[in-house]
């Protein structure tokens, strides 16, 4: 075998490591062990899914074609909802220690500030509404969480670096996979296959599946630079600035003095030309000069290009094969819904797949994963595409509308809200088949909604106490009466004296609610509905 290549160059304080490939125990070219779940793609979504399954005690094998975490900033904005998911996965502390939290942003028309927006936040919140962290750190911190998980319970996540999926075939009760790395090829078997292999998904293409939706012609160049700027941690956007007429420029800070610049290519501009070192040097220097930081030393560290679009598979489940993250859908970058949607996919799928893999629920539960996450896609896409149509007008009509809104925004604050980037937020599964409809007038979060965190009177926060399974949140006065019915749940008597009783799913969404004590049998029926047991009994 040839000598391993040196790792990619360090970026700021981040140092890359190349991970050597390995072969599992084989017999006649077959791996001797059968896997409950095989995950293809070891990016953030694949690792989050593997960790989510591990939290439920279900082992997985994770195939990653590369031998390092990713290069370049890629997805950099992690939402509060995603941070809550990362807390459940045991990875939160590293994110908070390294990431840059932010709450606000500014937009400029040419050189005039026309909008200053703030995301909902107050002193009682444990987590910021948004945190900037380069994707190589995101992947490394998830990898560190996997190492801790395996140290506590060896073998829960079998991560195989430098190993590509080269073929697969569904079989009765599972999937047969062919894998290959520098040491050779082999065949392995799994009960379930989850494709987290990104926008160019091998699994999706092998099944002949296509994404459907809207794809815009707007192209954006990404340039990561190292720059010793002391500017505030905020998101800035410039529309039609004098140094880039007719286009849009975005700027985000990252840890280690790395700054992300996204700028829109105008019609007729060559992508290849824009990515040449000379063009990158000229654009960045022109931009820094214009914002008063041209005197600072800087250097480029990564460049890329992307197009705007909102597309999805028609179903995220195809028999024993499931899809998550960019393999299932594509989101415009505006509003930072790409990676955050992927984390939500993994969070939704992990507990459902774990129940099915353990034989505690029927496979109909996995159909609800597809139903809920496709509904969430359409909710996210609606907001994202409104932002995309503003950031990258698809026609002259949209362009005229944007020019009018921007020219009036400084004097008319209501019009300025048209420029609001509509950052991602937790999605309610309004029509989820797992939710029990209200039978009584009840206050509090709606069925299908994510339970918001809150500080507790004695210290700490509510979501610090929810378990990895279903949780029943009730008033202290009701705890004794619910103890027998809730023996399979985490019982949290932390509600105010007038608060509703809430049945929470493992992903934090409300499955059912009652104004006080649930009537006899209501909790058991709600649990059965939330795990599709009622469906299995009906169709058996």
């Amino acid at each position: 075998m040839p000598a391993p290549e040196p790792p990619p160059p360090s970026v700021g304080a981040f140092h890359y490591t190349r991970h050597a490939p390995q072969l599992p125990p084989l017999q006649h070219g077959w791996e001797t062990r059968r896997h409950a779940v095989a995950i293809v793609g070891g990016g953030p979504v694949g690792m989050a899914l593997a960790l989510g399954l591990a939290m439920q005690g279900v082992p997985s094998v994770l195939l990653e074609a590369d031998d390092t975490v990713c290069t370049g900033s890629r997805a950099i904005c992690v939402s509060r909802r995603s941070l809550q998911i990362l807390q459940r996965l045991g990875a939160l502390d590293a994110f908070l220690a390294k990431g840059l939290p932010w709450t606000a942003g500014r937009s400029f028309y040419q050189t005039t500030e026309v909008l200053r927006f703030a995301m909902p936040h107050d002193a009682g919140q444990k987590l910021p509404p948004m945190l900037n962290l380069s994707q190589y750190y995101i992947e490394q911190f998830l990898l560190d969480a996997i190492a801790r998980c395996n140290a506590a319970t060896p073998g829960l996540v079998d991560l195989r670096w430098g190993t590509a999926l080269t073929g697969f075939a569904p079989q009765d009760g599972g999937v047969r996979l062919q894998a290959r790395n520098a040491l050779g090829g082999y065949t392995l078997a799994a009960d379930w296959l989850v494709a987290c292999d990104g926008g160019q998904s091998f699994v999706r293409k092998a099944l002949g599946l296509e994404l459907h939706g809207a794809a815009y012609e707007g192209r954006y160049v990404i340039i990561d630079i190292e720059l010793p700027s002391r500017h505030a941690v905020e998101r800035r956007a410039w529309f039609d600035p004098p140094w880039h007429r007719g286009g849009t420029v975005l700027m985000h800070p990252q840890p280690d003095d790395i700054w992300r610049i996204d700028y829109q290519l105008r019609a007729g501009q060559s992508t290849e030309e824009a990515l040449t070192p000379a063009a990158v040097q000229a654009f960045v220097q022109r931009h820094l000069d214009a914002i008063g930081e041209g005197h600072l030393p800087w250097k480029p560290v990564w460049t890329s290009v992307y197009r705007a679009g909102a597309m999805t598979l028609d179903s995220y489940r195809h028999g024993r094969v499931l899809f998550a993250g960019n393999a299932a859908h594509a989101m415009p970058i505006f509003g930072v819904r790409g990676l955050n949607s992927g984390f939500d996919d993994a969070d939704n799928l992990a507990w459902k797949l774990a129940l099915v893999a353990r034989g505690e629920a029927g496979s109909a539960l996995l159909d609800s994963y597809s139903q809920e996450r496709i509904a969430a896609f359409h909710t996210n896409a609606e907001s994202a595409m409104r932002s995309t149509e503003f950031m990258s007008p698809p026609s002259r009509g949209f362009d005229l509308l944007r020019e009018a809104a921007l020219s009036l925004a400084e004097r008319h604050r209501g019009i300025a809200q048209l420029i609001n980037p509509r950052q991602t937020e937790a999605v309610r599964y309004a029509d989820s088949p797992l939710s029990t409809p209200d039978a009584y007038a009840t206050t509090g979060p709606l069925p299908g909604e994510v339970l918001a965190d809150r500080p507790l009177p004695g210290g700490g926060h509510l979501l610090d106490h929810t378990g990895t399974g279903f949780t029943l949140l009730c008033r202290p006065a009701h705890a004794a009466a619910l103890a027998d019915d809730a023996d399979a749940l985490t019982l949290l008597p932390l509600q105010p004296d007038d608060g509703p009783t809430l049945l929470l799913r493992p992903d934090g969404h409300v499955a059912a609610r009652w104004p006080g004590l649930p009537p006899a049998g209501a909790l058991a029926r709600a649990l059965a509905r939330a795990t599709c047991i009622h469906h299995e009994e009906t169709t058996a």
Side-chain angles (χ1 to χ4, degrees), residues 105-124:
R106 293 190 291 162
S107 296
F108 302 84
Y109 178 42
Q110 297 178 3
T111 58
T112 301
E113 182 176 313
V114 292
L115 174 70
R116 184 173 296 219
F117 72 88
M119 293 174 284
H121 187 62
D122 58 60

Side-chain angles (χ1 to χ4, degrees), residues 223 225-228 280-282 284-285 288 294 296-300:
I223 306 172
I225 64 172
E226 189 171 337
L227 174 77
V280 169
Q281 172 74 30
V284 173
Q285 190 61 55
L288 295 179
L296 297 175
W298 67 274
K299 65 177 182 180

Side-chain angles (χ1 to χ4, degrees), residues 110-464:
Q110 297 178 3
T111 58
T112 301
E113 182 176 313
V114 292
L115 174 70
R116 184 173 296 219
F117 72 88
M119 293 174 284
H121 187 62
D122 58 60
Q125 294 282 354
K126 172 182 177 178
L127 301 172
M130 203 67 68
L131 180 136
N132 280 5
L133 188 65
S134 312
Q135 188 168 320
Y136 42 83
Y137 273 119
I138 292 173
E139 293 187 8
Q140 184 61 52
F141 294 157
L142 288 168
L143 181 60
D144 294 342
I146 287 174
R148 292 191 296 270
C149 178
N150 282 335
T153 307
L156 267 181
V157 181
D158 184 354
L159 175 50
R160 300 181 183 178
W161 292 99
T163 301
L165 180 72
T166 59
F168 65 95
Q171 295 183 314
D172 289 342
V175 184
R176 184 182 73 245
L177 302 90
Q178 284 80 46
R180 176 167 291 278
N181 60 32
L183 303 177
Y186 59 94
T187 302
L188 63 157
D191 296 336
W192 298 92
L193 169 62
V194 185
C196 301
D197 51 344
Q200 300 302 315
S201 170
F202 170 82
V203 177
R204 189 180 69 224
K205 292 177 180 178
L207 289 178
L209 303 175
E210 295 182 353
L211 301 178
H212 299 110
Y216 286 168
E217 291 301 314
R219 296 166 297 152
Y220 276 76
V221 170
I222 304 172
I223 306 172
D224 284 350
I225 64 172
E226 189 171 337
L227 174 77
S229 171
R230 301 278 72 87
H231 190 86
V233 179
E234 62 179 5
R235 170 266 201 197
R236 285 176 287 173
W238 292 266
F239 298 93
D240 192 27
W243 60 97
H244 189 54
R245 286 293 188 194
T248 303
V249 183
L250 306 172
M251 195 168 185
H252 278 277
Q254 303 173 62
D256 302 337
D257 284 339
I258 304 299
W259 290 77
R260 161 83 164 260
I261 300 171
D262 301 58
Y263 79 89
Q264 181 184 7
L265 288 177
R266 292 168 297 209
Q269 279 190 285
S270 163
T271 301
E272 293 74 17
E273 171 62 27
L275 294 176
T276 62
V280 169
Q281 172 74 30
F283 181 86
V284 173
Q285 190 61 55
R286 190 164 67 247
H287 173 70
L288 295 179
D289 288 342
I291 65 173
E293 295 189 335
H295 62 288
L296 297 175
W298 67 274
K299 65 177 182 180
V301 294
W302 182 70
T303 59
S304 187
V305 66
Y306 64 87
R307 290 182 182 271
M311 296 174 286
T312 181
L313 287 173
D314 296 330
S315 175
Y316 296 174
R317 181 189 175 192
H318 293 263
R320 292 267 172 168
V321 180
L322 300 121
F323 291 84
N326 286 347
H329 48 72
M331 281 287 182
I333 196 168
F334 312 116
V336 297
R337 290 171 174 83
L339 175 60
N340 292 300
S341 290
F343 277 143
D344 255 327
D345 289 348
D347 194 41
N348 187 297
L349 179 57
W351 68 272
K352 296 175 179 179
L353 187 51
L355 284 175
V356 174
R358 295 198 304 258
E360 298 171 18
S363 63
L365 185 59
L366 298 177
D367 294 328
S368 77
Y369 160 70
S370 182
Q371 292 166 341
E372 290 181 345
R373 293 309 300 155
I374 287 177
F377 165 85
H378 289 295
T379 298
N380 277 314
E382 183 179 356
S383 292
M385 293 311 289
R386 286 203 299 268
S387 295
T388 300
E389 288 165 351
F390 196 91
M391 303 294 284
S392 299
S395 67
R396 180 55 182 160
F398 278 97
D399 200 30
L400 291 171
L401 177 63
R402 185 175 86 162
E403 290 175 13
L406 288 166
S407 64
L408 295 170
E410 182 185 10
R411 299 188 304 276
H412 302 279
R413 306 316 297 172
I415 291 177
Q417 291 308 307
L418 292 171
I419 309 168
N420 194 313
R422 303 180 183 90
Q423 304 287 11
T424 184
E425 57 187 8
V427 173
R428 179 193 173 207
Y429 301 138
D431 299 315
S432 172
L434 308 188
S435 297
T436 297
D438 287 338
Y440 311 92
T442 308
T443 59
L446 296 167
E449 193 172 325
V450 171
L451 178 68
D453 202 5
R454 68 168 189 262
L456 298 173
H461 286 74
L462 177 61
L463 295 187
D464 295 339

